[in-house]
Amino acid sequence: MKSAKNILQPEHRALKTAVLVLDECNTLSFASAVDPMRAANRLADRPAFDWDYVTATPEPAMLTSALQVPGIPLARLDHCDLMIVIAGFNLVRHATPGLLAGLRRIANTGATMAGIDGGPWLLAEAGLLDGHAATTHWEDLETFATRFPEVDVRPDRFTVSGNRLTSGGAIPAVEMMLHIIAARHGAGFAARVSGLFLYEGAPDPGKPQSRTGAPHRHSALTARANAIMQAALDDPLPLAEIAQALGTSPRTLQQQFRLRLNTTPQDHYLQLRLAEARRLVTDTDMALMDVALATGFTSQSSFARAFRTAHGLSARDLRQDRTQPTHH
């Protein structure tokens, strides 16, 4: 194996990048990898990135939006400095022996390997994340950790572990790309790229993923409370215990949730549990009683009442009515 080159250091030479696009990947994940490179090239005095699109087969990749991306077949790719693997759904079908062998071959040239959304799963299947910290989308973290015990699985938005980078989804992928840009061209340049997208966050790889999708509304206190709640959906904690863990009082926590989120901590906690219950009902084949237990309900009847109130129909009816999902 050729020794890996550290791409996360100052360098003016264009970074030779291969963007491996798999069928059924999310269009936003694709754009999150490519558009920061395009923007960096626009702002730089010279090209910051030189990239090619790569596909698993000679056929173009078909994204979930029906957008087709033609590229170089992976079998014909010789080398690159950075390979970004973008995947979405049906990962088992995509993890063919040929694809996994191709990933290992490129990694053996010393290339840095990055994965976005389902990309980390394919890197792990190829054995390329063993001994590394890595993340994936929060829906798959538990399964990912069980499937790949040699990987240090973390709930972070994105991770950097040597010459392995992983992102849990599309927006963290923007942050991951900004991290690469900052390392190679400086924080000031990365901030200018960020400004083109009106993105004001900092690319912090240790920031945890959020299931609510609205972290900007939280205060520091409610964000920490939210993280505690998300970690204990199956065994809900009393408000007093959450407040004690945060070094505050239940009254202060109530006030902060009212002020920032216009709700109570108890109702916020319940909505997190019911959102997870809906996901388990629609995306898995778990027995409904197991879904109830996994989201902190000790009886089927209390789960049924809460689910119907929150979602307008019963869990059983929702599962019966579901069709094969179309992801966009």
Side-chain angles (χ1 to χ4, degrees):
M1 176 178 175
K2 185 177 179 181
S3 60
K5 179 183 178 182
N6 181 13
I7 68 165
L8 298 177
Q9 60 184 1
E11 186 171 359
H12 288 293
R13 182 183 63 86
L15 185 66
K16 181 66 176 175
T17 303
V19 181
L20 175 59
V21 189
L22 278 298
D23 284 341
E24 299 172 278
C25 80
N26 185 299
T27 310
L28 187 57
S29 294
F30 172 72
S32 294
V34 175
D35 248 24
M37 295 192 291
R38 175 203 56 78
N41 283 358
R42 174 185 167 190
L43 290 177
D45 293 333
R46 65 190 75 183
F49 293 89
D50 174 18
W51 72 89
D52 292 303
Y53 299 125
V54 179
T55 51
T57 71
E59 298 299 319
M62 178 74 78
L63 308 192
T64 55
S65 61
L67 178 69
Q68 294 189 38
V69 180
I72 303 167
L74 178 59
R76 287 174 41 199
L77 180 69
D78 292 328
H79 69 280
C80 58
D81 299 320
L82 167 66
M83 169 167 276
I84 304 173
V85 183
I86 310 172
F89 303 98
N90 291 317
L91 298 174
V92 173
R93 181 169 66 83
H94 294 312
T96 64
L99 181 91
L100 301 182
L103 293 176
R104 287 190 287 265
R105 177 176 60 82
I106 296 299
N108 284 338
T109 68
T112 294
M113 306 295 287
I116 295 173
D117 201 351
W121 190 285
L122 296 175
L123 292 177
E125 281 284 5
L128 298 177
L129 295 182
D130 289 356
H132 287 278
T135 192
T136 189
H137 193 277
W138 61 262
E139 289 185 334
D140 302 316
L141 278 171
E142 185 174 344
T143 306
F144 189 79
T146 302
R147 171 71 175 164
F148 306 111
E150 299 303 316
V151 179
D152 177 12
V153 180
R154 301 184 182 181
D156 302 348
R157 291 173 64 80
F158 73 97
T159 64
V160 179
S161 180
N163 63 339
R164 300 289 186 265
L165 293 86
T166 53
S167 165
I171 302 306
V174 173
E175 298 167 355
M176 184 179 77
M177 297 305 295
L178 290 172
H179 181 84
I180 295 172
I181 292 168
R184 294 178 64 81
H185 301 280
F189 182 78
R192 291 172 60 202
V193 174
S194 178
L196 292 177
F197 302 110
L198 302 183
Y199 177 76
E200 300 176 357
D204 177 9
K207 188 175 181 180
Q209 298 179 33
S210 170
R211 300 183 185 212
T212 62
H216 58 282
R217 296 170 54 194
H218 281 288
S219 68
L221 184 64
T222 61
R224 290 165 58 205
N226 181 74
I228 291 174
M229 293 173 183
Q230 288 184 0
L233 296 178
D234 60 337
D235 187 15
L237 302 172
L239 180 61
E241 188 172 332
I242 296 174
Q244 183 179 19
L246 296 172
T248 190
S249 68
R251 178 183 174 84
T252 297
L253 203 53
Q254 291 273 11
Q255 291 173 336
Q256 282 288 302
F257 269 86
R258 281 290 187 192
L259 177 65
R260 300 305 295 261
L261 302 174
N262 195 31
T263 189
T264 65
Q266 295 91 333
D267 190 58
H268 180 79
Y269 205 166
L270 178 61
Q271 295 310 312
L272 287 177
R273 292 162 54 205
L274 289 168
E276 174 66 359
R278 184 184 180 99
R279 184 186 74 83
L280 293 175
V281 168
T282 57
D283 292 356
T284 77
D285 294 319
M286 287 177 63
L288 294 184
M289 190 62 222
D290 290 338
V291 172
L293 294 173
T295 52
F297 293 92
T298 56
S299 74
Q300 183 68 41
S301 59
S302 62
F303 170 69
R305 285 194 300 271
F307 194 97
R308 180 180 288 276
T309 299
H311 302 304
L313 73 171
S314 71
R316 191 174 305 279
D317 287 343
L318 178 62
R319 177 163 283 177
Q320 288 176 347
D321 290 345
R322 71 178 180 177
T323 57
Q324 185 67 28
T326 300
H327 299 281
H328 295 284

